[in-house]
Amino acid sequence: MKKLKFTLALFFAAAAFSSTLSAQDTNSDNHTIVITIPEVALVDIEPAATKNITLGFTPPTEAGLPIVPSGTDNTLWLNYSSIKSVADATRNVSVKLNAVIPGIDIRVTAAAATGSGGGTLGNPSAQLTLSAADQTIVSGIGSAYTGDGANNGHNLTYELAPGSGPGTVAAYADLEATSTAVATVTYTISDN
């Protein structure tokens, strides 16, 4: 009887062990990976160390002629990084001026994106005359990055125009002589 009990105990132990193995392992298995992708909306002007620019006018040498802009500046680059949200398919970069200089139009043009970026880069608008109201300068930005620093992103070209000329908003009559009139240009990236 002892031998029978021992044989039955051994049989039940072997059966339990084999059913445990067959219940745990199969010819395939799986697990999950939890992935977190942060929403990103960053913008900056490069090169950061020299992003303040100086523009001016040249006085006429002949009576009866207006002042003329002394040139343009295209040393600055608009860089951005964007990971769009589920709710908003694209983003825009807007631009505004903190103070309008009487008699002067400040214009900016963003070129098409170049450099080492990738993703759905935005589309620049036509030349803008800056004002205190936000204006879209780059639209349709998806999940993208422009690359960092000069020669990446959208090259910005600034120019001045005295008022009352073709395409101006300002009035020439409002011009006043000043050695340093300062205006701050602000770029903001936001959802549509």
Side-chain angles (χ1 to χ4, degrees), residues 50-178:
T50 57
K51 64 182 170 183
N52 296 327
I53 60 175
T54 301
L55 295 172
F57 290 93
T58 303
T61 56
E62 183 66 37
L65 297 176
I67 61 172
V68 293
S70 58
T72 63
D73 185 289
N74 64 350
T75 60
L76 300 180
W77 292 81
L78 176 67
N79 294 173
Y80 51 81
S81 294
S82 170
I83 300 294
K84 64 184 179 176
S85 69
V86 174
D88 291 300
T90 60
R91 291 196 159 97
N92 295 328
V93 173
S94 61
V95 60
K96 68 179 177 179
L97 196 61
N98 76 325
V100 175
I101 309 299
I104 299 172
D105 286 332
I106 301 173
R107 298 177 180 161
V108 64
T109 305
T114 62
S116 63
T120 305
L121 296 166
N123 302 308
S125 67
Q127 184 183 65
L128 298 174
T129 299
L130 297 178
S131 69
D134 280 315
Q135 299 177 71
T136 300
I137 191 163
V138 179
S139 61
I141 301 166
S143 291
Y145 61 98
T146 58
D148 185 35
N151 301 312
N152 288 300
H154 301 271
N155 186 227
L156 301 172
T157 300
Y158 285 91
E159 67 180 62
L160 299 178
S164 301
T168 64
V169 174
Y172 197 91
D174 293 334
L175 284 169
E176 294 178 353
T178 179

Side-chain angles (χ1 to χ4, degrees), residues 7-28:
T7 304
L8 282 174
L10 190 59
F11 172 76
F12 285 123
F17 181 71
S18 96
S19 71
T20 302
L21 283 180
S22 66
Q24 287 181 338
D25 294 327
T26 64
N27 64 347
S28 68

